Amino acid sequence: MTTTESAATDENILRAAIAAELDRTRRRSLALTDSVDDAELTRQHSPLMSPLVWDLAHVGNQEELWLVRDVGGLVPLRSDIDELYDAFRHARADRPALPLLNPAEAREYVRGVREKTLDVLDRTPLRGRRLVDEGFAFGMIIQHEQQHDETMLATHQLRRGEPVLHAPAAPPSIAPPSAREVLVPGGPFTMGTDAEPWALDNERPARTVHVDAFHLDTAPVTNAAYAEFIAAGGYDRREWWTEEGWAHRQRAELRAPLFWTRDSDGTWWRRRFGVTEPVPADEPVVHVCLHEAQAYARSVGRRLPTEAEWEKAARHDPATGRSRRHPWGDAAPTERHANLGQRHLTPAPVGAYPLGATPAGVHQLVGDVWEWTSSAFTGHPGFAAFPYREYSEVFLDGGYQVLRGGSFGTDPSMARASFRNWDLPIRRQIFAGFRCARDATRAERT
Ligand code: AVJ
Ligand code: FE
């Protein structure tokens, strides 16, 4: 084969991979929306969330805007509905009152858009223009749909009624971490990325960041540990809360993680996708806000890691000095590395993924629960919005906090350890937990 022919072959392999990812993603969206009836699709299950039917048509609309119209240069299927599905025009709470596509229309719309997208994919060169280079725009739209799928999963968790989602139980703990924490030595590492083809704008550019030595917990904080915090009066000990956290704790009358209830003999129960069950002791705690995470950390004499600390622990390879894709290395995650992609409907117990640990022995950084960090969502130095300001830029320095690592509901297409998520410090409906860190002593720093 000539060089030109082999480049064409590579491009066709990439096209086939993109088509498969688009299809895999759409199956998830349809499973999340086919599992409830039309009344439940159009109802608002919580003022924090959109009706599921809005999310479905919105992912189709974003796909139409970027892939059909921008990349493909085709005429709109439905330019009349752009306004309805523009997340910045209508707050989530107001969306049920809009003249939205009904479930049958929304399904037909996303199907029609997808048909055009696949034509565009077939005839678009996947290089030459930054938007399409290495399939970026397709990767961006796949990740966008998967992010809404995780949001829809959170809507399912808020919904009342009989369970409609089913999945095998998460794997058991097979090799818990051998130590409670590890010392991450001080020094520089490469934060962010220039090399990941599907990395989003807020992960770029790569740059060198110095991180002082610190200790990081080898596992996220478990339900058992969190229940001890509650039993020790954690929600009433003002001294463990930040000022902002205490004000929120009072206002919102926080007393336990979202979805927890206590029965008369003191046992904690949780509601999970319509099933009420005892809180499992050794799973990472989930559905806590930043303020609860910070109060817990202070109660045990610790703190949350900064975003840079979290990323260094997850990516820096002291042997080569490189930052890797994942805590375990550069290989793509398998079901033995991390609890991702809604394969299970819970976080897995600590010790379920020894293969996914870092060489230093930090477990479950990726998957299970998003981890709150102590860092506000800001742009990396040199940040430039691409391809649109509304993905990241409008949220920078806007009071949002960074979460890292992905949850059991996060798709593997976002499992790279440079991926950044963000939300308001008070949010608890997302699948968020945390792990603790502490400063190294002076002696440990040298
Ligand atoms: C990255 C999860 C914070 O849901 O607000 C979806 C993702 N952006 N549509 C969000 C997003 C546009 C975003 N998060
Ligand atoms: Fe969106």
Side-chain angles (χ1 to χ4, degrees), residues 58 62 144 148:
H58 166 80
Q62 285 291 115
H144 178 258
H148 278 274

Side-chain angles (χ1 to χ4, degrees), residues 275-288:
V275 180
T276 299
E277 59 194 12
V279 167
D282 57 352
E283 268 179 29
V285 68
V286 60
H287 299 300
V288 290

